[in-house]
């Protein structure tokens, strides 16, 4: 039976949530296309992770070695190369994350197995593997087929599949020998760096007014600040506003910023990239203002307003005044 | 430091209507505004800053057709020393492997210490060209780079992880780095600046010049084959609030009050 492998992502002593979304996808590939799911856990001190995954799939391949304590593409790709060549899985899945983006394209170049990144859907069409990717700022879906190959590498966009609930399978854990590395290493892990804590904690705010690239210019930031103050909201933003240094990093909502759970999220001039939306999962009411009726944010919001954000900002200020 | 920066011209689709071509294999490009890929702009700036601090040269390269020349000139105006165009004709419809093969020809033939690329292209970007190129070359790489400092024969970088966390790495040179947005503040390019580099010669290299055989790149050589494009299914749509701005504002404030907010 053809196999589908899930590469577990973990960092600083915890399995990362996206791994469980891959479990759901692997199960779907099992039920629809008869692929057999297995998990691959690589690292140091990872037996507890292997145990968790063994409750989800029949087999978990565990590669335990001190040299794997910190993630580097160099060592992890060497391990995966070995596993792929010996176990010949048809599909290997990994999250589209800083981990997957660093590892899978490189692994593809080194193994010759083709890779599709950032997929939102994966399925078989007869013998060939087909994926769907969301492109052009989420406005278009692209369906791609792979040229036939012995195996395929896929990274999956967060939120594309629901995370698997806790399971109680009695899967086996297989101790897989760590291959020898071709030292000296070219890469050296030096450590982690935590973002400096800012002056506000947007993750605790019950009401966020969030602005995106639509704010257009640093000169318009005070307008947004004033409106937030009038509304009793905390001001947050999408990534480009931080990249341009218009607001501090501590106000950024999204995968590489903060995860927030306000009772009310009022987004203006934000298109709705998945990295942004991933940061507001579990929020209460979500209102989006965007002048583009096709903006993907309207597929996620509860209420939508197609209008120039500056007109709405002015009107809100006026209405609060009266 | 000899630095090569890979740049791509892409359409702005965040703030524009995207219309499918009748054949369903692409989008209509006529009404879209094109410019340098956002990530690549940060990469060019970073390369120039490294050069300013440590000396050396910055070369920008694109695989594109003649209308990509303006993007290269913009990079020259920012301070890049040279620009190269690889004739994009044979690369039409190439997947990231084809693009990486084309860039490999340049990177391998000249003694670069660093190749910088964008972490992803904003159009249908895979975020693959950089690390695949590094794999082909056997060089070290780091993706999603948020800072670079040059050491003796090495570079120390930070990579962006999730939730505001970063990791620090040291890489042996030569290396390929893919640059994340926000790494720096790209300098402003004036019309005057672009005019100054107007007559700078930009060589156009054909397939043979980058060491590739005819037919080795382009749509027919792809391992990732586009079947069709489509508009995503509507799914759960937001309830639209309509009216004049004043009416909309009133409705928004009703919701705010309902949710216990001030107003
Ligand atoms: C690894 C990685 C991590 C990332 N992490 C994050 C993250 O944590 N958070 C995040 O936000 N992004 C993140 N991004 C970036 C993300 O992919 C998008 O690029 C970003 O979210 C876009 O921000 P935006 O919606 O403000 O801008 P755009 O996508 O440019 O959208 C601007 C929107 O404003 C609208 N608009 C313009 N003018 C007006 C006006 N006058 N009135 C009304 N509407 C207007 C436009 O129609 C458009 O929809 C990440 C990207 C990568 C690769
Ligand atoms: N046609 C091209 N010419 C030169 N560089 C490119 C081209 N396409 C992609 N790149 C580089 O590869 C990066 C990532 O592209 P992608 O893998 O398509 O997301 C871009 O940011 C560019 O630096």
């Amino acid at each position: 039976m053809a196999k589908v492998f899930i590469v577990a992502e973990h960092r600083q002593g915890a399995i990362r949530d996206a791994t469980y979304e891959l479990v759901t996808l692997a199960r779907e590939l099992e039920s629809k296309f008869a692929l057999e799911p297995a998990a691959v856990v690589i690292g140091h001190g990872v037996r507890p992770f292997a145990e968790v995954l063994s409750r989800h799939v029949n087999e978990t391949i565990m590669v335990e070695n001190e040299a794997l304590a910190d993630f580097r593409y160099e060592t992890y790709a060497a391990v995966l190369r070995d596993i792929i060549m010996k176990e010949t899985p048809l599909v290997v899945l990994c999250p589209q994350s800083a981990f997957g983006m660093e590892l899978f394209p490189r692994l593809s170049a080194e193994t010759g197995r083709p890779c599709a990144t950032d997929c939102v859907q994966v399925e078989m069409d007869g013998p060939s593997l087909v994926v769907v990717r969301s492109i052009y700022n989420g406005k278009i879906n692209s369906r791609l087929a792979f040229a036939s190959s012995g195996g395929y590498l896929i990274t999956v966009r967060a939120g594309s599949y629901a995370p698997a609930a806790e399971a109680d399978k009695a899967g086996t854990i297989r101790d897989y020998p760590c291959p020898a590395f071709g030292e000296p290493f070219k890469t050296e892990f030096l450590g982690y760096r935590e973002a400096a804590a800012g002056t506000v904690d947007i993750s605790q705010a019950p009401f966020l007014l969030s602005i995106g690239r639509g704010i257009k210019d640093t000169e318009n930031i005070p307008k947004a600040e004033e409106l937030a103050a009038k509304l009793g909201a905390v001001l947050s933003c999408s990534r480009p506003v931080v990249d341009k240094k218009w607001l501090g990093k501590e106000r950024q909502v999204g995968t590489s910023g903060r995860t927030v759970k306000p009772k009310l999220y009022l987004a203006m001039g934000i298109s709705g990239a998945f990295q942004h939306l991933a940061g507001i999962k579990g929020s209460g009411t979500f209102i989006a203002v965007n002048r583009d009726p096709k903006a993907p944010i309207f597929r996620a919001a509860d209420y939508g307003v197609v209008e120039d954000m500056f007109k709405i900002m002015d009107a809100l200020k006026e209405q609060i005044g009266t | 430091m000899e630095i090569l920066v890979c740049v791509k011209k892409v359409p702005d689709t965040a703030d524009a209507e995207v219309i499918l071509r009748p054949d369903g294999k692409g989008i209509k490009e006529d009404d879209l505004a094109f410019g340098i890929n956002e990530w690549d702009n940060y990469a060019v700036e970073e390369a120039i800053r490294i050069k300013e601090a440590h000396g050396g040269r910055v070369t920008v390269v694109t695989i594109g057709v003649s209308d990509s020349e303006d993007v290269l000139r913009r990079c020259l105006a920012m301070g890049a020393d040279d620009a190269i165009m690889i004739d994009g004709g044979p690369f039409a419809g190439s997947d990231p492997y084809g693009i990486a093969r084309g860039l490999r020809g340049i990177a391998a033939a000249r003694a670069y210490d660093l190749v910088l690329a964008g972490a992803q292209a904003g159009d249908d970007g895979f975020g693959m060209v950089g690390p695949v190129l590094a794999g082909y070359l056997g060089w070290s790489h780091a993706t999603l780079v948020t800072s670079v400092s040059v050491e003796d024969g090495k570079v120390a970088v930070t990579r962006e992880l999730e939730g505001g966390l970063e990791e620090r790495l040291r890489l042996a040179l030569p290396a390929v780095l893919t640059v994340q947005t926000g790494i720096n503040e790209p300098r402003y390019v004036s019309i005057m600046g672009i005019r100054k580099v107007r007559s700078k010669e930009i060589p156009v290299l054909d397939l043979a010049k980058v060491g590739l055989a005819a037919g080795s790149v382009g749509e027919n050589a792809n391992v990732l084959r586009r079947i069709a494009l489509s508009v995503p299914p509507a799914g759960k749509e937001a309830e639209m609030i309509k009216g004049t701005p004043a009416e909309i504002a009133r409705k928004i404030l009703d919701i705010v009050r309902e949710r216990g907010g001030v107003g």
Side-chain angles (χ1 to χ4, degrees):
Chain A
M1 201 148 109
K3 288 175 282 193
V4 49
F5 282 7
I6 298 159
V7 178
E9 180 176 345
H10 59 87
R11 183 180 298 138
Q12 295 181 309
I15 299 181
R16 297 191 54 81
D17 291 348
T19 307
Y20 299 107
E21 299 179 8
L22 302 182
V23 169
T24 301
L25 167 56
R27 288 258 183 73
E28 194 181 295
L29 293 172
E30 178 182 28
S31 64
K32 286 192 184 156
F33 309 107
L35 298 191
E36 190 183 344
V40 178
V41 182
I42 301 170
H44 181 49
V46 289
R47 181 163 291 275
F49 305 156
E51 279 165 5
V52 171
L53 286 158
S54 72
R55 296 200 281 273
H56 287 277
V57 289
N58 286 337
E59 188 180 38
T60 300
I61 295 170
M62 181 179 77
V63 188
E64 162 66 45
N65 192 292
E66 242 184 327
L68 301 169
D70 301 301
F71 164 64
R72 281 177 296 158
Y73 77 80
E74 198 173 8
T75 49
Y76 277 55
V79 170
L80 283 170
R81 223 159 51 214
D82 193 72
I83 292 174
I84 288 170
M85 293 312 164
K86 293 194 177 124
E87 306 285 325
T88 63
L90 183 67
V91 183
V92 186
L93 304 172
C94 181
Q96 169 77 356
S97 57
F99 171 71
M101 291 172 85
E102 177 83 347
L103 181 60
F104 262 42
R106 177 80 187 216
L107 183 62
S108 168
E110 291 184 355
T111 57
R113 307 245 153 155
C115 174
T117 52
D118 198 18
C119 301
V120 298
Q121 209 178 309
V122 183
E123 57 194 45
M124 303 288 298
D125 184 6
S128 73
L129 192 70
V130 172
V131 298
V132 178
R133 301 181 69 247
S134 166
I135 61 173
Y136 297 123
N137 291 91
K139 289 180 174 174
I140 299 290
N141 279 351
S142 169
R143 217 176 144 77
L144 295 161
F146 281 97
S148 158
S149 164
Y152 309 94
L153 307 177
I154 307 279
T155 72
V156 181
R157 176 177 289 196
S160 304
Y161 292 86
E166 275 187 38
D168 55 2
K169 238 188 217 310
T172 55
I173 298 176
R174 173 149 60 106
D175 251 304
Y176 189 98
C178 185
F181 298 117
E183 296 184 50
F185 290 123
K186 286 184 176 165
T187 60
E188 193 187 338
F189 178 84
L190 302 174
Y192 290 110
R193 192 163 79 186
E194 206 79 49
T199 47
V200 286
D201 185 359
I202 59 170
S203 72
Q204 299 303 316
F207 179 12
L208 287 173
L209 170 65
S210 208
I211 54 170
R213 204 195 304 262
I215 195 77
K216 205 162 175 227
D217 204 303
T218 186
E219 284 164 20
N220 294 323
I221 297 289
K223 289 187 198 162
E225 282 169 340
E226 190 198 329
L227 176 60
K230 277 199 166 183
L231 284 167
V234 171
L235 188 63
S236 61
C237 62
S238 66
R239 179 171 185 128
V241 177
V242 174
D243 286 342
K244 294 186 158 78
K245 317 278 190 288
W246 295 344
L247 287 174
K249 183 83 182 167
E250 71 274 13
R251 292 191 192 260
Q252 182 187 317
V253 173
T255 51
S256 57
R258 306 296 302 267
T259 301
V260 298
K261 275 200 165 80
K263 282 201 284 181
L264 184 60
Y265 192 71
L266 175 52
M268 297 201 184
I270 297 177
S271 63
F274 85 94
Q275 292 100 340
H276 186 82
L277 298 178
I280 54 174
K281 256 192 318 205
S283 293
T285 307
F286 175 7
I287 310 175
V289 180
N290 195 305
R291 67 179 175 197
D292 175 7
K294 301 262 177 65
I297 198 160
F298 293 128
R299 297 202 294 266
D302 300 305
Y303 296 95
V305 173
V306 179
E307 185 53 273
D308 179 14
M309 63 186 277
F310 295 103
K311 285 193 186 152
I312 301 299
M313 287 170 71
D314 289 345
L316 280 169
K317 275 181 212 163
E318 256 170 49
Q319 299 279 333
I320 300 168
T322 58
Chain B
M1 292 288 268
E2 291 295 318
I3 310 175
L4 180 71
V5 191
C6 309
V7 300
K8 184 182 187 187
K9 187 169 181 173
V10 298
D12 173 12
T13 51
D15 207 0
E17 191 177 1
V18 180
I19 302 170
L20 286 179
R21 268 185 354 223
D23 70 357
K25 292 250 170 133
I27 57 168
K28 287 192 178 160
E29 298 191 334
D30 318 1
D31 296 330
L32 295 173
F34 281 73
I36 187 168
N37 179 40
E38 190 181 358
W39 283 264
D40 302 353
N41 193 33
Y42 285 98
V44 173
E45 176 65 32
E46 195 62 22
I48 293 167
R49 288 185 187 202
I50 295 170
K51 178 189 80 165
E52 286 168 350
H54 301 277
R57 286 183 83 74
V58 173
T59 305
V60 290
V61 61
T62 194
I63 300 178
V65 287
S66 56
D67 79 348
S68 296
E69 201 191 300
D70 56 352
V71 163
L72 294 177
R73 292 220 183 269
R74 192 179 174 282
C75 297
L76 291 170
M78 281 173 82
D81 300 282
D82 296 297
I84 301 170
M85 165 109 68
I86 300 175
D87 176 19
F91 289 85
S94 270
D95 62 18
Y97 299 98
I99 300 297
R101 279 200 292 275
L103 296 170
R104 171 175 58 179
I106 296 285
R110 309 178 189 202
Y112 292 107
D113 302 300
L114 266 186
V115 173
L116 302 190
Q120 64 178 44
D123 49 4
D124 64 344
F126 285 84
M128 284 180 64
V129 167
V132 166
L133 174 61
Y136 287 168
L137 292 163
W139 295 8
S140 59
H141 87 253
T143 56
L144 295 166
V145 168
T146 47
S147 75
V148 182
S149 63
V150 176
E151 302 173 349
D152 189 24
K154 299 198 163 153
V155 279
V157 302
T158 53
R159 286 188 70 228
E160 179 182 287
L161 307 174
E162 285 76 20
L165 191 67
E166 293 185 322
E167 64 181 8
R168 294 185 296 121
L169 298 170
R170 185 176 290 126
L171 310 180
L173 294 176
V176 177
L177 308 179
T178 80
V179 168
Q180 175 62 309
T181 56
I183 186 175
N184 53 39
E185 289 177 73
R187 64 198 70 190
Y188 175 74
V189 183
S190 68
I191 308 237
M192 264 306 287
I194 291 177
R195 239 181 246 152
K196 274 198 194 135
V197 296
R198 188 174 38 185
S199 54
K200 169 103 187 164
E201 202 193 324
I202 299 179
V204 180
L205 308 186
D206 60 14
L207 270 192
K209 289 241 178 62
V210 292
L212 294 174
S216 62
V217 294
E219 207 173 336
N220 291 330
N222 280 350
V223 293
L224 289 168
R225 296 182 181 148
R226 220 179 233 196
I227 306 171
L229 300 186
S230 61
V231 175
K236 185 210 94 173
E237 284 284 345
E239 180 184 329
M240 298 316 259
I241 305 173
K242 293 190 177 129
T244 62
E247 286 161 2
I248 291 168
R250 224 169 291 137
K251 184 74 202 291
I252 291 176
L253 289 176
D254 285 346
I255 298 168
V256 171
R257 290 193 189 101
E258 222 171 85
R259 304 298 302 173
V262 189

